[in-house]
Amino acid sequence: MSPPEEISDEEAMAAVDEVIALKPISTVLIVIAMQTEALPLVNKFQLEEDTDACLFPQKVPWVRYHGTYKDLHIDLVWPGKDPVLGVDNVGTISASLVTYASIQAFKPDLVINAGTAGGFKAKGACVGDVYVASDVAFHDRRIPIPVFDIYGIGARRTCPTPNLLKELNLKVGKLSTGDSLDMSLQDETSILANDATIKDMEGAAVAYVAELLSVPAIFIKAMTDIVDGEKPTAEEFLENLVMVTAALDQAVTQVIDFITGKCLSSL
Ligand code: ADE
């Protein structure tokens, strides 16, 4: 009998990645920041709210809905509301925490971060458009020291989905993430440097955690406001939130229908 062939760690990891990429996707985690964005999808997929408090630490406001839709197990998590102020826990901190805890608890094959975002008309975005992000980066983590500057921007490619993009009529653009709804001049400079079409408050944080835990992630963002337009952002966002959520709901349903029965390598 010949001795087993030695393979390097890199070769072993590539082989594992290949097996994972060829395995049908059976569990999807959808991370959504706002209740208004989450509830239409909870109803569409007939998900049930989890009352088993053990999965998340006691007393956190995070909410998990789960169920099976067309053979796909779906966990949808929303970071809940601030217990004092009663508003949605938007932004990178809550998104990171809930993504980390949910990946650990539910072991998804794929993360989908879905939500509303601002778009740049200079890059072709209109209110109501739905984009899939090709890349993500931060625009408010400025660390002007060599290499830390690149770390702060945290640019990454998202999981490639060429077949999904071909099949569904979704636009593709780069996403820039920061913890403010408005845009300072410094943010604007960074967003331009990130070549972004889309601006949100969670995407790059979800991408960071997903990569940390080796789970592929995709980003579906519906435009509520035009960042480089005439209207004040907060006003335009609130005016369009409910209407644009319907477009988001439709796009996420199309994406879930497309994913069902497929493996990562055929997305
Ligand atoms: N979510 C919706 N619109 C946004 C914007 N303009 N910036 C950041 N997040 C958003």
Side-chain angles (χ1 to χ4, degrees):
M1 201 170 82
S2 53
E5 253 180 64
E6 292 247 332
I7 62 166
S8 67
D9 288 352
E10 286 77 22
E11 284 171 324
M13 272 161 66
V16 169
D17 284 349
E18 205 172 313
V19 170
I20 291 170
L22 295 173
K23 182 179 140 289
I25 297 166
S26 62
T27 303
V28 171
L29 168 67
I30 305 177
V31 179
I32 299 194
M34 297 184 74
Q35 188 175 38
T36 309
E37 299 163 341
L39 289 185
L41 288 167
V42 168
N43 293 331
K44 173 70 69 72
F45 300 132
Q46 299 192 321
L47 306 180
E48 280 177 27
E49 186 171 343
D50 193 3
T51 44
D52 179 359
C54 304
L55 289 169
F56 289 146
Q58 262 193 351
K59 293 195 182 162
V60 295
W62 312 336
V63 185
R64 172 206 184 201
Y65 301 91
H66 62 112
T68 302
Y69 174 81
K70 296 190 177 172
D71 287 345
L72 201 61
H73 181 80
I74 300 178
D75 288 296
L76 187 153
V77 293
W78 159 58
K81 298 206 185 238
D82 181 279
V84 176
L85 302 172
V87 295
D88 296 287
N89 286 316
V90 298
T92 61
I93 297 174
S94 287
S96 302
L97 290 169
V98 87
T99 303
Y100 178 83
S102 301
I103 291 177
Q104 292 293 78
F106 314 131
K107 307 272 181 268
D109 299 314
L110 178 71
V111 173
I112 299 175
N113 173 219
T116 53
F120 287 84
K121 68 173 189 226
K123 296 274 192 184
C126 301
V127 168
D129 282 351
V130 183
Y131 277 81
V132 173
S134 57
D135 301 75
V136 298
F138 292 98
H139 55 252
D140 59 359
R141 304 200 320 174
R142 289 174 288 275
I143 315 173
I145 299 171
V147 191
F148 280 105
D149 51 359
I150 301 167
Y151 168 81
I153 295 163
R156 359 182 95 72
R157 304 295 322 268
T158 62
C159 172
T161 56
N163 298 317
L164 182 146
L165 295 174
K166 227 178 283 165
E167 178 119 343
L168 311 179
N169 199 22
L170 302 174
K171 292 180 153 188
V172 183
K174 294 184 180 177
L175 168 65
S176 196
T177 298
D179 269 304
S180 299
L181 184 70
D182 68 0
M183 182 172 69
S184 70
L185 281 176
Q186 279 179 314
D187 288 348
E188 187 175 10
T189 305
S190 305
I191 290 170
L192 284 173
N194 289 341
D195 192 27
T197 304
I198 320 158
K199 172 177 176 284
D200 83 343
M201 297 175 66
E202 290 86 19
V206 173
Y208 171 77
V209 176
E211 186 181 292
L212 196 65
L213 300 177
S214 305
V215 183
I218 62 175
F219 301 81
I220 304 168
K221 300 284 163 172
M223 304 302 106
T224 45
D225 51 275
I226 297 303
V227 185
D228 53 348
E230 310 305 320
K231 293 193 182 169
T233 298
E235 210 174 282
E236 196 177 18
F237 167 71
L238 291 173
E239 200 176 287
N240 293 324
L241 178 61
V242 173
M243 184 258 292
V244 169
T245 292
L248 178 69
D249 172 24
Q250 196 189 347
V252 174
T253 306
Q254 285 179 322
V255 169
I256 290 288
D257 283 338
F258 180 84
I259 284 171
T260 304
K262 294 204 172 53
C263 52
L264 283 171
S265 63
S266 43
L267 291 187

